[in-house]
């Protein structure tokens, strides 16, 4: 297949591009800069110039492809509502180009959008309290002749080179002099290695069902206290509980995720797509030490 990939040079997207090429697909990656274009060409992908706000470019990229994987997102937590709108518009633009073709479009969401405190499954609807509507935008396309599906990623998509939640927690611990958790620290984070996640995106593209939701989850729920414990040990810092009232000041923008109980299952995904996580789980990956080299 000729696959148009947005977010193709990101932490997850770059792994997806390699996964697709190794499986024999032809990849066209969206690139905003010369640096991104060079990175794509270096791994054997074609370059499609544009960005999330260039809807004509997105439509053209999708129209010339046999399928789309949409990973790009504006990670602007200062104006998350605007980022969410841009995401929905991008999905709708690419979906319009694929309408009536039966071609696949795989979009991205997260398990943090599920109701907290119970084991979330692929059958559970996302929360309506978040402005992000990627799921609704993508799944609506299934009724318009697009084989659209959603991959919900765990909050921790980990591996060497990550720049997301775990490195942020490490940076906060270094700054504050303590590896903290909220309350008893038993709130759980699901996790998945980025190489397992990249294979899931490929499988969803190749054989996912229209209107399906898949979960990129290997660890169903790692107690946050265990994550803090590894961070404290590797940084030689104390590990301590803080109250929910202290969490916002301590963790900043990541406070919500640091205190949320988000156990999630991928049992249905594994059964339906034959996907099996094989790469290191979160705690063993942290114990390797590469997260603490800088």
């Amino acid at each position: 297949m000729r696959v148009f990939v947005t977010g193709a040079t990101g932490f997850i997207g770059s792994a997806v591009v390699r996964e697709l090429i190794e499986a024999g697909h032809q990849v066209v990656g969206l690139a905003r800069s010369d640096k991104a274009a060079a990175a794509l060409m270096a791994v054997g992908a074609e370059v499609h110039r544009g960005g999330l706000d260039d809807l004509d470019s997105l439509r053209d990229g999708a129209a010339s492809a046999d399928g789309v994987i949409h990973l790009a997102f504006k990670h602007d937590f200062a104006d998350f509502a605007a980022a969410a709108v841009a995401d929905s518009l991008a999905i709708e633009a690419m979906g319009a180009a694929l309408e009536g073709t039966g071609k696949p479009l795989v979009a991205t969401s997260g398990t943090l959008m599920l109701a907290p405190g119970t084991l979330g499954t692929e059958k559970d609807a996302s929360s309506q309290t978040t402005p992000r509507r990627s799921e609704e935008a993508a799944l609506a396309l299934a009724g318009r002749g697009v084989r659209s599906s959603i991959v919900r990623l765990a909050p921790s998509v980990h591996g060497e080179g990550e720049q997301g939640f775990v490195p942020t927690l490490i940076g906060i611990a270094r700054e504050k002099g303590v590896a903290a958790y909220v309350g008893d620290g038993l709130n759980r984070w699901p996790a998945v290695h980025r190489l397992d996640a990249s294979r899931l995106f490929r499988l969803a593209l190749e054989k996912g069902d229209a209107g399906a939701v898949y979960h990129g989850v290997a660890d169903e729920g790692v107690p946050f206290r265990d994550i803090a414990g590894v961070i404290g040990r590797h940084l030689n810092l104390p590990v301590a509980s803080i109250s929910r009232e202290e969490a916002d000041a301590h963790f900043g923008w990541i406070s919500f995720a640091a205190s949320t109980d988000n156990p999630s299952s991928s049992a249905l995904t594994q059964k339906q797509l034959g996907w099996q996580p094989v790469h290191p789980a979160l705690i063993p990956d942290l114990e390797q030490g590469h997260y603490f080299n800088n």
Side-chain angles (χ1 to χ4, degrees), residues 29-220:
L30 184 68
R32 291 182 300 169
S33 66
D34 291 341
K35 181 180 179 181
L40 288 168
M41 290 187 289
V43 297
E46 293 182 30
V47 175
H48 183 85
R49 290 284 190 163
L52 281 185
D53 294 322
D54 187 348
L55 300 184
D56 287 338
S57 175
L58 294 178
R59 278 189 285 266
D60 290 345
S64 65
D66 300 311
V68 173
I69 294 179
H70 175 51
L71 288 156
F73 188 80
K74 297 180 179 181
H75 294 284
D76 181 3
F77 293 96
D79 195 357
F80 189 75
V85 170
D87 186 44
S88 293
L89 291 175
I91 292 170
E92 290 165 3
M94 292 183 288
L98 299 179
E99 189 168 346
T101 65
K103 294 177 180 180
L105 184 152
V106 185
T108 310
S109 180
T111 64
L112 280 174
M113 295 176 68
L114 298 173
T118 59
L119 186 67
T121 76
E122 296 86 342
K123 293 184 177 181
D124 293 326
S126 64
S127 169
Q128 296 300 308
T129 61
T130 172
R132 189 170 185 180
R133 292 288 181 267
S134 52
E135 295 194 15
E136 291 88 341
L139 298 181
L141 297 170
R144 295 164 52 190
V146 180
R147 185 162 56 85
S148 58
S149 61
I150 281 285
V151 171
R152 287 178 182 152
L153 291 171
S156 176
V157 181
H158 57 92
E160 194 160 0
E162 183 199 345
Q163 298 179 352
F165 280 171
V166 171
T168 299
L169 293 175
I170 292 170
I172 291 170
R174 284 188 167 123
E175 177 188 353
K176 305 284 187 177
V178 60
Y181 55 87
V182 180
D184 61 12
L186 296 181
N187 59 298
R188 293 156 290 179
W189 267 17
V192 65
H193 195 283
R194 76 160 177 156
L195 297 181
D196 287 320
S198 67
R199 182 168 181 267
L200 175 56
F201 275 100
R202 176 176 65 80
L203 292 173
L205 176 87
E206 291 174 344
K207 57 182 182 179
D209 293 328
V213 174
Y214 302 110
H215 276 191
V217 171
D219 290 306
E220 287 192 350

Side-chain angles (χ1 to χ4, degrees), residues 3-28:
V3 187
F4 180 48
V5 180
T6 73
T9 57
F11 175 66
I12 302 168
S14 58
V16 170
V17 167
R18 287 192 294 272
E19 173 74 25
L20 291 170
I21 290 173
E22 289 172 2
H25 298 292
Q26 180 183 4
V27 175
V28 182

Side-chain angles (χ1 to χ4, degrees), residues 218-239:
D219 290 306
E220 287 192 350
V222 181
F224 194 86
R225 186 169 63 187
D226 293 356
I227 300 171
V230 177
I231 293 173
R233 186 167 63 255
H234 278 266
L235 297 181
N236 196 27
L237 291 174
V239 179

